[in-house]
Amino acid sequence: MGSIPTYSRHEERRNDVKNEQMRKIPKVDEVLQHVSLEQVKAEIPHSLLLFAVRAVADDLRARILKGEPVPEGAFGCDSIAAKAKALAEKEFAASLRPVINATGVPLHTNLGRAPLSAAARQAVDQAASSYCNLEYDIERGERGSRHAHLEYLIRRITGAEAALVVNNNAAATLLCLAALSRGRECVISRGELVEIGGSFRIPEIMAESGAILVEVGTTNKTRLSDYRARLNEETGLILKVHTSNYRITGFTEEASLEELVRLGREAGLPVVYDLGSGLMTELKGIGEPNVADGLRAGADVVMFSGDKLLGGPQSGILIGKKAYIAKMKQYPLARAFRVDKLTIAALEATFRAYYEDARACREIPVLRMLQTPAEELLLRAGALAARLSEIPGVKAEAVVTENEIGGGSGPGVSLPGAATAVRVGGLTANALEKKLRTGERSVVGRIAGGKLLLELRTILPEEEDLLAECVRNAAEGKEA
Ligand SMILES: *Cc1c(COP(=O)(O)O)cnc(C)c1O
């Protein structure tokens, strides 16, 4: 019976302790005056710092109320100020941050696909920092067209009659289907109903566009006769989609683009080719069709991504017959999908490199990465390993690997590569991977066979100093 009052006394004592602890939490203003916040005040807005100090104090209060043990030091202005500073800095830091791509995948969609060429970066910087003739004809002193900047150049480089640039290839597909085949049937092989990265699925894009999907053939075999049998007065266009991220092998058959073009001509229908990756040159060992192949086959419209094998900014490029491109330009969605001056600047500089294939291969990072010979990568992997091995606690060695292209390009293509395998004493491969990934400069490598590999194909030579610094920080156990 006596247990109840005892319990109450116990509870009372606990509340006394809690109240006493609560009183120890310094006032917000007092924390804000702390010397350790002097410098950070110049950079971080007052309201954010205030928010952070309150958040740290609130957290302390919550811990006290829960009866968690709170060490004496946690109540000091210095401790609260330090925590608030870290919190505010974290919130104020950019969310979009540079990453060292050590995965060996040049067109890594999660890592932003193609890094831009020096010329493209300069063009973006210039377009960003001043006014420009985006929609202004300087010669005539009157309103101009934003399409003009790229159209002439793309026509010259590709040999197409006309060109139009939109936000990405998904937008290009939607615009093309809507403008040329809305309310009419669009014939496509069952083997080409692709999904690109989750949200882009041909049947769904088709539905959005208002074109009516007509599937012909089977998953593995579609003949020209299958297409021919489904053409009628409701047909709007014939679509061929490059199965850019998978291959159908074995007992297969497909109608070639040339055959479809002939059929389209007979029936008076446009033939549209969704190529996906915008490969402009012959690249050894890649085995991807390129833009010229599409035009040579006679497709009325060819579309491709600016940030896949073209190596430029995110964009979708439509090229082909003038009448069709004009229809798309006038279609209302073209306004919704139009690109801004930064994209135009980057894409113009990227395309300009293609006047000469050799120049493009030299200047465009993605092309350079794809073509670096395995021997060169192995040499760099060895040099990096030697350098990293000088850091106390680090063991590194060069290993031979295989790389993929990424970005849903060249499925099944493997490029001979080389990596530096790194180990840090006392850390598992997974722990090291996490430390590097979450460090001040994020390094994303890959784990294979229980080892952390840093793939040289995608590490820019000028990033190697910084990379070595990141490994040193990880080895010294510095906090991220
Ligand atoms: C990548 C791809 C797309 C989508 O292109 P985004 O530029 O990523 O929007 C569409 N079709 C094909 C065949 C592709 O390979």
Side-chain angles (χ1 to χ4, degrees), residues 34 90 122 124 235 434:
H34 196 264
K90 188 163 176 232
Q122 247 168 34
V124 169
T235 313
K434 184 176 179 200

Side-chain angles (χ1 to χ4, degrees), residues 209-224:
S209 75
I212 299 150
L213 174 65
V214 173
E215 307 172 22
V216 298
T218 61
T219 305
N220 56 325
K221 286 209 176 205
T222 305
R223 302 184 183 87
L224 189 63

Side-chain angles (χ1 to χ4, degrees), residues 53-355:
V53 172
R54 282 195 180 131
V56 175
D58 284 348
D59 181 57
L60 273 179
R61 270 181 216 105
R63 283 167 66 192
I64 294 166
L65 285 177
K66 268 194 257 162
E68 281 178 26
V70 182
E72 204 54 37
F75 297 103
C77 271
D78 51 349
S79 163
I80 295 174
K83 284 200 181 105
K85 176 168 175 270
L87 191 65
E89 278 174 341
K90 188 163 176 232
E91 177 167 332
F92 205 57
S95 171
L96 190 65
R97 296 193 293 161
V99 168
I100 295 179
N101 177 3
T103 65
V105 181
L107 291 173
H108 202 301
T109 299
N110 299 153
L111 301 183
R113 289 196 184 157
L116 297 180
S117 68
R121 292 190 321 257
Q122 247 168 34
V124 169
D125 188 47
Q126 195 161 62
S129 31
S130 68
Y131 291 99
C132 63
N133 60 336
L134 180 63
E135 289 186 356
Y136 184 69
D137 186 325
I138 290 179
E139 297 297 320
R140 298 175 182 210
E142 59 191 39
R143 192 192 165 138
S145 157
R146 85 169 55 211
H147 299 306
H149 305 286
L150 286 164
E151 181 159 21
Y152 178 76
L153 179 62
I154 297 175
R155 277 174 45 210
R156 289 279 293 131
I157 300 290
T158 63
E161 261 180 48
L164 173 63
V165 176
V166 291
N167 245 316
N168 48 36
N169 197 15
T173 311
L174 182 50
L175 173 61
C176 181
L177 292 174
L180 305 186
S181 193
R182 190 178 182 84
R184 307 190 65 192
E185 294 180 355
C186 174
V187 185
I188 180 173
S189 161
R190 289 203 166 87
E192 297 173 5
L193 296 171
V194 311
E195 169 175 315
I196 310 273
S199 50
F200 179 94
R201 299 173 127 193
I202 290 286
E204 282 156 29
I205 292 278
M206 192 87 74
E208 273 314 310
S209 75
I212 299 150
L213 174 65
V214 173
E215 307 172 22
V216 298
T218 61
T219 305
N220 56 325
K221 286 209 176 205
T222 305
R223 302 184 183 87
L224 189 63
S225 54
D226 293 322
Y227 289 87
R228 183 175 279 125
R230 289 305 307 267
L231 301 188
N232 58 50
E233 56 281 5
E234 299 302 320
T235 313
L237 64 78
I238 299 171
L239 177 64
K240 187 163 182 64
V241 179
H242 171 46
T243 56
S244 59
N245 57 3
Y246 66 98
R247 292 268 185 275
I248 295 179
T249 58
F251 188 55
T252 64
E253 192 173 335
E254 65 174 304
S256 69
L257 184 58
E258 284 87 349
E259 290 174 314
L260 292 178
V261 166
R262 246 177 280 136
L263 181 62
R265 299 271 151 82
E266 277 170 37
L269 290 170
V271 175
V272 172
Y273 184 36
D274 179 6
L275 175 59
S277 37
L279 183 59
M280 300 284 295
T281 60
E282 296 285 340
L283 276 193
K284 276 199 291 296
I286 304 293
E288 279 281 289
N290 63 29
V291 174
D293 295 332
L295 285 180
R296 210 176 300 124
D300 295 288
V301 177
V302 178
M303 55 192 126
F304 52 95
S305 260
D307 58 355
K308 287 198 192 166
L309 290 171
L310 184 73
Q314 179 195 300
S315 48
I317 296 134
L318 293 140
I319 57 174
K321 298 273 155 57
K322 203 167 177 175
Y324 297 123
I325 298 289
K327 249 188 167 163
M328 292 184 236
K329 267 188 203 164
Q330 282 148 23
Y331 198 82
L333 275 180
R335 173 65 172 78
F337 294 158
R338 76 179 188 183
V339 287
D340 74 332
K341 63 177 181 173
L342 303 182
T343 301
I344 292 174
L347 197 57
E348 186 183 4
T350 304
F351 262 111
R352 211 181 303 112
Y354 282 98
Y355 272 109

Side-chain angles (χ1 to χ4, degrees), residues 329-443:
K329 267 188 203 164
Q330 282 148 23
Y331 198 82
L333 275 180
R335 173 65 172 78
F337 294 158
R338 76 179 188 183
V339 287
D340 74 332
K341 63 177 181 173
L342 303 182
T343 301
I344 292 174
L347 197 57
E348 186 183 4
T350 304
F351 262 111
R352 211 181 303 112
Y354 282 98
Y355 272 109
E356 259 180 329
D357 283 355
R359 181 168 178 164
C361 289
R362 246 190 348 262
E363 292 185 358
I364 295 176
V366 165
L367 297 187
R368 221 163 41 211
M369 287 175 187
L370 286 170
Q371 291 188 298
T372 315
E375 311 83 70
E376 191 180 322
L377 295 173
L378 194 57
L379 279 178
R380 281 180 60 200
L384 181 63
R387 185 169 176 186
L388 297 182
S389 296
E390 285 170 10
I391 302 169
V394 176
K395 284 211 171 74
E397 57 176 340
V399 294
V400 166
T401 60
E402 286 184 359
N403 301 145
E404 47 185 302
I405 301 173
S409 306
V413 173
S414 115
L415 305 168
T420 304
V422 199
R423 270 187 305 151
V424 168
L427 289 180
T428 62
N430 282 311
L432 179 59
E433 186 276 337
K434 184 176 179 200
K435 254 187 190 280
L436 286 173
R437 173 162 46 83
T438 56
E440 183 148 328
R441 169 61 65 97
S442 180
V443 179

